[in-house]
Amino acid sequence: MKESVCCIQRFHKKGYGTGKSPGFSKPLHVIGGVIGDELIVEVKTKQRAFIKQITHLSPYRTVPKCSHAPSCGGCSWQQVDYLFQLEQKQQRVHELFACFIKEQFILKSILSCDQIWQYRNKMEFSFSQDRSGQQFLGLIFAGSRGHVFNLQECWLVSVWFSSVVAQVRLWWKQSGLSAYRLDNTGSLRTLIVRQSLSTSDRLVMLTVSGRPEYALNKQQIQQFIQKILLTAPEPEKVSIFLRIQQAIKGQPTQFFEMHLHGPDHMLEKLNIEGKTLTFKISPTSFFQPNPRQAEKLFSSALQAIQGPKKHILDLYAGTATLSIVFAKIADRVTAIELNPHAVFDAKVNKELNHIKNLEIICGDVGSKVQELKNDPDFIFPDLVIVDPPRTGLDGKAIKALLELRPQEILYISCNPVTQAHDIQLLMPKGYQLVLLQPVDQFPHTVHIETIALLRLF
Ligand SMILES: C[S@@+](CC[C@H](N)C(=O)[O-])C[C@H]1O[C@@H](n2cnc3c(N)ncnc32)[C@H](O)[C@@H]1O
């Protein structure tokens, strides 16, 4: 391991501080480095380095709240002043789009987060064991290849999350179970914890191996439930699930959920333009992880569109959040979602929010749009909303969009890199980017949510 000096000049896309260092031909990426820092660093791999000493403090540096901040892979920017985080995110979005868009488009100022701590409603923790058998349950070390550390606190979520982790760690010690390993041996894989920010509903899901020789027995499951119930003020209201993940070589991974305790879902509420909407969320359904910012995201998306619309297609609809928000400006809305559990939630959410003009379809976006188009009664949409996973739109979905040729496409994304890539494919076919609105859903991380409005010219 080599020691060197390094001045941080910019941020790497993963949030590391990047700067030149004498003796190294390529810039170093320093975990925890902030633009303006002068550092003595330890160089671990060719370009990856760790801070040994700060010789000059950046004016953008602040004191992290969490004791894990210097090494946790969850928050790479807790040491960066929040206003500077926002500036950096705004600049990143500008760089990603301005490099290929020559026409005028409006890049709005990023919508900041009012509650920058304890804003998440979900966190996934991993189980791991080293060669000596020492047990770890928590998050992944920054810059490591999946090395887990024992989490004691996390400021992105409520304190209940760390008390669940602590109780599960105690249960694990007594259980005799082992952590799942990449060679498909061992039992315990992940622990998902969710807590609604509006109703305080709580949900815990333990994911284990599907190999029969690593299955949990009745007593182990009962003891797991008892430990979780110790953490909650109203134990009867905690939902507990066991998820069995079956990984067989050459076959798609399969999941089976077992409902162990409490309600089979949780409820979350969003306030959109003065109206409170209620959403049922099953353990495997996606829901926006920062509900207060989701309110800003959805309100801002709604304001970007001038209604009324005849037919809105909501692709990658999840639990139908956007469909329900947009239903008031359309004659009809059609939602398409792959996950059957989320589709089931979406149907309940339609009823809970008294929506009459919404149809919900379960299936892959690319295939279902083709089927819809073949229906002679199909009304071509004037607005298509897409909110895909981080990987963006696949070839089939892009093709479907181009065949539908709606007047407007509202593209919401948690990954502006894939979003910019997809928009580059849509532009030569007559679409122009008219509006870009970044939203800070994830303070202290490098992640950015963006709303893009495309119009057919
Ligand atoms: C980022 S979430 C957006 C959900 C929703 N718009 C919201 O804000 O709550 C993406 C959703 O796309 C779904 N999905 C992923 N691939 C899909 C596909 N090929 N076809 C349909 N839905 C898909 C996922 O299950 C997930 O619910």
Side-chain angles (χ1 to χ4, degrees):
M1 208 156 36
K2 260 184 155 179
E3 208 173 279
S4 186
V5 291
C6 184
C7 299
I8 304 300
Q9 284 137 345
R10 60 189 167 85
F11 283 116
H12 180 265
K13 62 180 179 203
K14 289 194 173 161
Y16 311 138
T18 296
K20 288 197 176 134
S21 196
F24 292 87
S25 54
K26 289 185 176 169
L28 296 179
H29 305 309
V30 184
I31 291 169
V34 180
I35 295 176
D37 273 348
E38 289 172 21
L39 307 167
I40 298 173
V41 297
E42 276 181 2
V43 186
K44 281 265 158 89
T45 58
K46 269 188 221 155
Q47 279 188 272
R48 187 74 47 83
F50 293 82
I51 299 174
K52 202 167 170 218
Q53 195 189 329
I54 303 178
T55 49
H56 173 81
L57 277 178
S58 160
Y60 308 114
R61 199 170 251 291
T62 187
V63 182
K65 220 174 166 81
C66 177
S67 58
H68 298 300
S71 54
C72 178
C75 285
S76 38
W77 274 1
Q78 262 201 40
Q79 73 288 4
V80 183
D81 174 71
Y82 184 56
L83 287 180
F84 196 55
Q85 291 180 28
L86 293 173
E87 228 175 87
Q88 289 298 310
K89 290 184 183 188
Q90 182 82 12
Q91 195 178 317
R92 173 102 179 112
V93 175
H94 182 266
E95 282 164 7
L96 281 169
F97 286 84
C99 64
F100 71 90
I101 294 181
K102 301 288 167 263
E103 302 84 12
Q104 277 294 96
F105 73 97
I106 301 168
L107 171 56
K108 291 197 151 192
S109 292
I110 188 163
L111 295 176
S112 63
C113 194
D114 300 323
Q115 183 184 326
I116 63 168
W117 303 108
Q118 302 188 317
Y119 60 80
R120 285 188 68 99
N121 59 9
K122 179 184 175 186
M123 201 67 116
E124 179 164 347
F125 304 102
S126 302
F127 291 88
S128 175
Q129 253 172 311
D130 64 13
R131 284 205 184 112
S132 69
Q134 200 183 336
Q135 300 174 335
F136 302 92
L137 173 60
L139 296 173
I140 311 285
F141 275 119
S144 78
R145 289 199 185 134
H147 287 124
V148 179
F149 66 87
N150 270 325
L151 181 122
Q152 307 299 335
E153 60 174 341
C154 177
W155 283 90
L156 301 194
V157 287
S158 81
V159 288
W160 177 64
F161 285 65
S162 16
S163 57
V164 170
V165 169
Q167 286 300 330
V168 173
R169 210 177 279 131
L170 283 177
W171 164 78
W172 184 13
K173 274 213 168 80
Q174 294 154 4
S175 72
L177 292 161
S178 55
Y180 179 81
R181 285 172 292 268
L182 285 176
D183 62 2
N184 207 11
T185 60
S187 298
L188 305 173
R189 297 183 70 120
T190 62
L191 180 75
I192 289 177
V193 184
R194 292 174 104 159
Q195 183 179 16
S196 160
L197 263 69
S198 49
T199 65
S200 279
D201 282 359
R202 296 156 202 254
L203 190 152
V204 175
M205 181 161 71
L206 174 70
T207 302
V208 299
S209 165
R211 285 184 65 179
E213 58 271 48
Y214 296 106
L216 275 60
N217 63 35
K218 249 188 179 167
Q219 194 191 11
Q220 287 161 334
I221 294 174
Q222 274 314 318
Q223 284 168 349
F224 175 77
I225 297 170
Q226 291 316 315
K227 282 282 189 243
I228 300 297
L229 297 185
L230 285 178
T231 64
E234 293 173 286
E236 69 287 353
K237 283 179 70 183
V238 186
S239 305
I240 307 178
F241 289 83
L242 183 72
R243 181 165 67 162
I244 296 157
Q245 182 167 348
Q246 203 159 63
I248 300 174
K249 231 181 174 177
Q251 289 182 24
T253 305
Q254 285 191 299
F255 295 96
F256 307 93
E257 285 87 37
M258 281 170 67
H259 181 200
L260 302 177
H261 181 273
D264 66 352
H265 65 273
M266 61 180 226
L267 292 179
E268 185 70 90
K269 289 183 194 289
L270 296 179
N271 190 299
I272 310 288
E273 299 195 328
K275 192 171 176 211
T276 302
L277 300 171
T278 304
F279 296 96
K280 165 186 185 274
I281 313 168
S282 290
T284 66
S285 299
F286 173 88
F287 197 82
Q288 295 291 341
N290 181 342
R292 294 294 76 79
Q293 282 307 88
E295 289 171 344
K296 288 191 191 175
L297 177 79
F298 293 162
S299 302
S300 171
L302 191 59
Q303 281 156 19
I305 299 298
Q306 276 140 31
K309 300 287 173 200
K310 282 197 171 63
H311 186 193
I312 297 178
L313 262 190
D314 176 16
L315 307 181
Y316 307 91
T319 57
T321 41
L322 281 160
S323 297
I324 290 169
V325 168
F326 276 78
K328 67 177 182 185
I329 63 154
D331 290 345
R332 64 161 76 184
V333 182
T334 307
I336 302 181
E337 164 60 40
L338 190 61
N339 176 354
H341 299 284
V343 168
F344 179 59
D345 293 344
K347 289 181 178 169
V348 175
N349 292 336
K350 175 183 161 178
E351 301 305 320
L352 280 176
N353 296 289
H354 317 290
I355 306 293
K356 303 272 178 253
N357 55 344
L358 169 61
E359 187 193 352
I360 300 150
I361 298 173
C362 185
D364 164 61
V365 158
S367 320
K368 288 292 165 189
V369 169
Q370 283 308 327
E371 277 176 35
L372 282 177
K373 266 182 57 233
N374 292 338
D375 180 345
D377 296 329
F378 180 63
I379 295 172
F380 274 73
D382 35 10
L383 169 66
V384 176
I385 302 172
V386 290
D387 184 7
R390 288 188 64 73
T391 45
L393 302 172
D394 63 20
K396 269 195 326 186
I398 293 268
K399 183 169 175 276
L401 267 182
L402 291 174
E403 286 173 6
L404 290 169
R405 262 185 106 63
Q407 189 57 40
E408 287 181 324
I409 299 174
L410 188 70
Y411 190 150
I412 299 178
S413 170
C414 58
N415 185 352
V417 176
T418 53
Q419 185 188 35
H421 168 270
D422 294 342
I423 289 175
Q424 264 183 294
L425 299 177
L426 295 168
M427 287 181 59
K429 310 290 179 188
Y431 284 97
Q432 266 184 30
L433 178 65
V434 289
L435 181 89
L436 202 52
Q437 172 67 76
V439 182
D440 190 24
Q441 287 241 80
F442 311 105
H444 318 302
T445 78
V446 287
H447 297 291
I448 317 170
E449 190 87 18
T450 33
I451 303 169
L453 177 61
L454 297 158
R455 204 167 278 145
L456 194 59
F457 278 90

PDB file of all heavy atoms in Angstrom, residues 275-292:
ATOM      1  N   LYS A 275     -54.566  16.967  -1.710  1.00  0.00           N
ATOM      2  CA  LYS A 275     -55.412  15.776  -1.554  1.00  0.00           C
ATOM      3  C   LYS A 275     -54.579  14.618  -1.006  1.00  0.00           C
ATOM      4  O   LYS A 275     -53.460  14.368  -1.506  1.00  0.00           O
ATOM      5  CB  LYS A 275     -56.001  15.411  -2.921  1.00  0.00           C
ATOM      6  CG  LYS A 275     -57.089  14.395  -2.805  1.00  0.00           C
ATOM      7  CD  LYS A 275     -57.835  14.172  -4.097  1.00  0.00           C
ATOM      8  CE  LYS A 275     -58.825  13.051  -3.851  1.00  0.00           C
ATOM      9  NZ  LYS A 275     -59.105  12.267  -4.981  1.00  0.00           N
ATOM     10  N   THR A 276     -55.100  13.922  -0.012  1.00  0.00           N
ATOM     11  CA  THR A 276     -54.359  12.794   0.561  1.00  0.00           C
ATOM     12  C   THR A 276     -54.731  11.513  -0.177  1.00  0.00           C
ATOM     13  O   THR A 276     -55.916  11.151  -0.256  1.00  0.00           O
ATOM     14  CB  THR A 276     -54.657  12.662   2.067  1.00  0.00           C
ATOM     15  OG1 THR A 276     -54.293  13.891   2.681  1.00  0.00           O
ATOM     16  CG2 THR A 276     -53.865  11.527   2.701  1.00  0.00           C
ATOM     17  N   LEU A 277     -53.738  10.838  -0.703  1.00  0.00           N
ATOM     18  CA  LEU A 277     -53.952   9.568  -1.401  1.00  0.00           C
ATOM     19  C   LEU A 277     -53.363   8.448  -0.547  1.00  0.00           C
ATOM     20  O   LEU A 277     -52.318   8.631   0.103  1.00  0.00           O
ATOM     21  CB  LEU A 277     -53.267   9.592  -2.777  1.00  0.00           C
ATOM     22  CG  LEU A 277     -53.744  10.696  -3.738  1.00  0.00           C
ATOM     23  CD1 LEU A 277     -52.854  10.760  -4.964  1.00  0.00           C
ATOM     24  CD2 LEU A 277     -55.196  10.449  -4.148  1.00  0.00           C
ATOM     25  N   THR A 278     -54.038   7.290  -0.553  1.00  0.00           N
ATOM     26  CA  THR A 278     -53.598   6.169   0.289  1.00  0.00           C
ATOM     27  C   THR A 278     -53.135   5.026  -0.609  1.00  0.00           C
ATOM     28  O   THR A 278     -53.805   4.706  -1.592  1.00  0.00           O
ATOM     29  CB  THR A 278     -54.777   5.699   1.177  1.00  0.00           C
ATOM     30  OG1 THR A 278     -55.241   6.829   1.915  1.00  0.00           O
ATOM     31  CG2 THR A 278     -54.365   4.603   2.141  1.00  0.00           C
ATOM     32  N   PHE A 279     -52.022   4.400  -0.247  1.00  0.00           N
ATOM     33  CA  PHE A 279     -51.485   3.307  -1.063  1.00  0.00           C
ATOM     34  C   PHE A 279     -51.190   2.087  -0.202  1.00  0.00           C
ATOM     35  O   PHE A 279     -50.507   2.179   0.816  1.00  0.00           O
ATOM     36  CB  PHE A 279     -50.206   3.754  -1.781  1.00  0.00           C
ATOM     37  CG  PHE A 279     -50.465   4.861  -2.747  1.00  0.00           C
ATOM     38  CD1 PHE A 279     -50.265   6.190  -2.379  1.00  0.00           C
ATOM     39  CD2 PHE A 279     -50.966   4.601  -4.013  1.00  0.00           C
ATOM     40  CE1 PHE A 279     -50.546   7.228  -3.255  1.00  0.00           C
ATOM     41  CE2 PHE A 279     -51.252   5.632  -4.897  1.00  0.00           C
ATOM     42  CZ  PHE A 279     -51.037   6.946  -4.526  1.00  0.00           C
ATOM     43  N   LYS A 280     -51.699   0.950  -0.692  1.00  0.00           N
ATOM     44  CA  LYS A 280     -51.387  -0.344  -0.074  1.00  0.00           C
ATOM     45  C   LYS A 280     -50.088  -0.829  -0.713  1.00  0.00           C
ATOM     46  O   LYS A 280     -49.927  -0.750  -1.943  1.00  0.00           O
ATOM     47  CB  LYS A 280     -52.525  -1.315  -0.365  1.00  0.00           C
ATOM     48  CG  LYS A 280     -52.200  -2.769  -0.108  1.00  0.00           C
ATOM     49  CD  LYS A 280     -53.354  -3.660  -0.573  1.00  0.00           C
ATOM     50  CE  LYS A 280     -53.103  -5.108  -0.213  1.00  0.00           C
ATOM     51  NZ  LYS A 280     -52.317  -5.833  -1.211  1.00  0.00           N
ATOM     52  N   ILE A 281     -49.169  -1.332   0.117  1.00  0.00           N
ATOM     53  CA  ILE A 281     -47.885  -1.813  -0.417  1.00  0.00           C
ATOM     54  C   ILE A 281     -47.619  -3.218   0.119  1.00  0.00           C
ATOM     55  O   ILE A 281     -47.529  -3.425   1.342  1.00  0.00           O
ATOM     56  CB  ILE A 281     -46.714  -0.889   0.001  1.00  0.00           C
ATOM     57  CG1 ILE A 281     -47.073   0.592  -0.225  1.00  0.00           C
ATOM     58  CG2 ILE A 281     -45.437  -1.257  -0.732  1.00  0.00           C
ATOM     59  CD1 ILE A 281     -46.103   1.556   0.428  1.00  0.00           C
ATOM     60  N   SER A 282     -47.491  -4.178  -0.782  1.00  0.00           N
ATOM     61  CA  SER A 282     -47.129  -5.551  -0.391  1.00  0.00           C
ATOM     62  C   SER A 282     -45.606  -5.635  -0.262  1.00  0.00           C
ATOM     63  O   SER A 282     -44.885  -4.775  -0.788  1.00  0.00           O
ATOM     64  CB  SER A 282     -47.607  -6.532  -1.457  1.00  0.00           C
ATOM     65  OG  SER A 282     -49.010  -6.592  -1.413  1.00  0.00           O
ATOM     66  N   PRO A 283     -45.097  -6.700   0.410  1.00  0.00           N
ATOM     67  CA  PRO A 283     -43.659  -6.714   0.694  1.00  0.00           C
ATOM     68  C   PRO A 283     -42.759  -6.636  -0.537  1.00  0.00           C
ATOM     69  O   PRO A 283     -41.661  -6.097  -0.454  1.00  0.00           O
ATOM     70  CB  PRO A 283     -43.444  -8.031   1.439  1.00  0.00           C
ATOM     71  CG  PRO A 283     -44.671  -8.813   1.239  1.00  0.00           C
ATOM     72  CD  PRO A 283     -45.779  -7.845   1.005  1.00  0.00           C
ATOM     73  N   THR A 284     -43.185  -7.150  -1.687  1.00  0.00           N
ATOM     74  CA  THR A 284     -42.274  -7.116  -2.850  1.00  0.00           C
ATOM     75  C   THR A 284     -42.620  -5.991  -3.829  1.00  0.00           C
ATOM     76  O   THR A 284     -41.983  -5.870  -4.870  1.00  0.00           O
ATOM     77  CB  THR A 284     -42.304  -8.458  -3.623  1.00  0.00           C
ATOM     78  OG1 THR A 284     -43.607  -8.605  -4.195  1.00  0.00           O
ATOM     79  CG2 THR A 284     -41.994  -9.638  -2.738  1.00  0.00           C
ATOM     80  N   SER A 285     -43.634  -5.193  -3.502  1.00  0.00           N
ATOM     81  CA  SER A 285     -44.008  -4.099  -4.415  1.00  0.00           C
ATOM     82  C   SER A 285     -43.073  -2.918  -4.256  1.00  0.00           C
ATOM     83  O   SER A 285     -42.698  -2.561  -3.126  1.00  0.00           O
ATOM     84  CB  SER A 285     -45.429  -3.609  -4.119  1.00  0.00           C
ATOM     85  OG  SER A 285     -46.336  -4.644  -4.307  1.00  0.00           O
ATOM     86  N   PHE A 286     -42.790  -2.277  -5.387  1.00  0.00           N
ATOM     87  CA  PHE A 286     -41.984  -1.064  -5.337  1.00  0.00           C
ATOM     88  C   PHE A 286     -42.838   0.079  -4.790  1.00  0.00           C
ATOM     89  O   PHE A 286     -44.012   0.203  -5.121  1.00  0.00           O
ATOM     90  CB  PHE A 286     -41.494  -0.692  -6.751  1.00  0.00           C
ATOM     91  CG  PHE A 286     -40.795   0.647  -6.790  1.00  0.00           C
ATOM     92  CD1 PHE A 286     -39.436   0.728  -6.542  1.00  0.00           C
ATOM     93  CD2 PHE A 286     -41.505   1.814  -7.034  1.00  0.00           C
ATOM     94  CE1 PHE A 286     -38.799   1.966  -6.537  1.00  0.00           C
ATOM     95  CE2 PHE A 286     -40.876   3.049  -7.032  1.00  0.00           C
ATOM     96  CZ  PHE A 286     -39.520   3.123  -6.792  1.00  0.00           C
ATOM     97  N   PHE A 287     -42.223   0.928  -3.957  1.00  0.00           N
ATOM     98  CA  PHE A 287     -42.841   2.203  -3.601  1.00  0.00           C
ATOM     99  C   PHE A 287     -41.716   3.208  -3.459  1.00  0.00           C
ATOM    100  O   PHE A 287     -40.611   2.858  -3.046  1.00  0.00           O
ATOM    101  CB  PHE A 287     -43.646   2.102  -2.294  1.00  0.00           C
ATOM    102  CG  PHE A 287     -44.600   3.251  -2.125  1.00  0.00           C
ATOM    103  CD1 PHE A 287     -45.843   3.240  -2.751  1.00  0.00           C
ATOM    104  CD2 PHE A 287     -44.248   4.375  -1.386  1.00  0.00           C
ATOM    105  CE1 PHE A 287     -46.707   4.319  -2.636  1.00  0.00           C
ATOM    106  CE2 PHE A 287     -45.111   5.454  -1.265  1.00  0.00           C
ATOM    107  CZ  PHE A 287     -46.347   5.430  -1.891  1.00  0.00           C
ATOM    108  N   GLN A 288     -41.986   4.462  -3.844  1.00  0.00           N
ATOM    109  CA  GLN A 288     -40.934   5.490  -3.775  1.00  0.00           C
ATOM    110  C   GLN A 288     -40.340   5.498  -2.366  1.00  0.00           C
ATOM    111  O   GLN A 288     -41.071   5.618  -1.382  1.00  0.00           O
ATOM    112  CB  GLN A 288     -41.515   6.871  -4.113  1.00  0.00           C
ATOM    113  CG  GLN A 288     -42.023   7.003  -5.537  1.00  0.00           C
ATOM    114  CD  GLN A 288     -40.914   6.985  -6.579  1.00  0.00           C
ATOM    115  OE1 GLN A 288     -39.739   7.223  -6.284  1.00  0.00           O
ATOM    116  NE2 GLN A 288     -41.275   6.681  -7.815  1.00  0.00           N
ATOM    117  N   PRO A 289     -38.991   5.391  -2.242  1.00  0.00           N
ATOM    118  CA  PRO A 289     -38.389   5.237  -0.908  1.00  0.00           C
ATOM    119  C   PRO A 289     -38.403   6.496  -0.046  1.00  0.00           C
ATOM    120  O   PRO A 289     -38.213   6.413   1.160  1.00  0.00           O
ATOM    121  CB  PRO A 289     -36.938   4.819  -1.211  1.00  0.00           C
ATOM    122  CG  PRO A 289     -36.710   5.104  -2.645  1.00  0.00           C
ATOM    123  CD  PRO A 289     -38.029   5.224  -3.330  1.00  0.00           C
ATOM    124  N   ASN A 290     -38.625   7.668  -0.668  1.00  0.00           N
ATOM    125  CA  ASN A 290     -38.675   8.907   0.119  1.00  0.00           C
ATOM    126  C   ASN A 290     -40.053   9.549  -0.115  1.00  0.00           C
ATOM    127  O   ASN A 290     -40.239  10.348  -1.033  1.00  0.00           O
ATOM    128  CB  ASN A 290     -37.547   9.843  -0.330  1.00  0.00           C
ATOM    129  CG  ASN A 290     -37.522  11.148   0.449  1.00  0.00           C
ATOM    130  OD1 ASN A 290     -38.486  11.534   1.095  1.00  0.00           O
ATOM    131  ND2 ASN A 290     -36.400  11.843   0.370  1.00  0.00           N
ATOM    132  N   PRO A 291     -41.053   9.204   0.713  1.00  0.00           N
ATOM    133  CA  PRO A 291     -42.430   9.641   0.441  1.00  0.00           C
ATOM    134  C   PRO A 291     -42.602  11.158   0.398  1.00  0.00           C
ATOM    135  O   PRO A 291     -43.377  11.663  -0.398  1.00  0.00           O
ATOM    136  CB  PRO A 291     -43.238   9.033   1.584  1.00  0.00           C
ATOM    137  CG  PRO A 291     -42.391   7.959   2.147  1.00  0.00           C
ATOM    138  CD  PRO A 291     -40.971   8.324   1.892  1.00  0.00           C
ATOM    139  N   ARG A 292     -41.890  11.900   1.260  1.00  0.00           N
ATOM    140  CA  ARG A 292     -42.078  13.366   1.246  1.00  0.00           C
ATOM    141  C   ARG A 292     -41.586  13.937  -0.084  1.00  0.00           C
ATOM    142  O   ARG A 292     -42.205  14.816  -0.666  1.00  0.00           O
ATOM    143  CB  ARG A 292     -41.329  14.037   2.408  1.00  0.00           C
ATOM    144  CG  ARG A 292     -41.854  13.703   3.805  1.00  0.00           C
ATOM    145  CD  ARG A 292     -43.258  14.220   4.101  1.00  0.00           C
ATOM    146  NE  ARG A 292     -44.331  13.458   3.479  1.00  0.00           N
ATOM    147  CZ  ARG A 292     -44.819  12.305   3.913  1.00  0.00           C
ATOM    148  NH1 ARG A 292     -44.335  11.747   4.995  1.00  0.00           N
ATOM    149  NH2 ARG A 292     -45.804  11.697   3.281  1.00  0.00           N
TER     150      ARG A 292
END
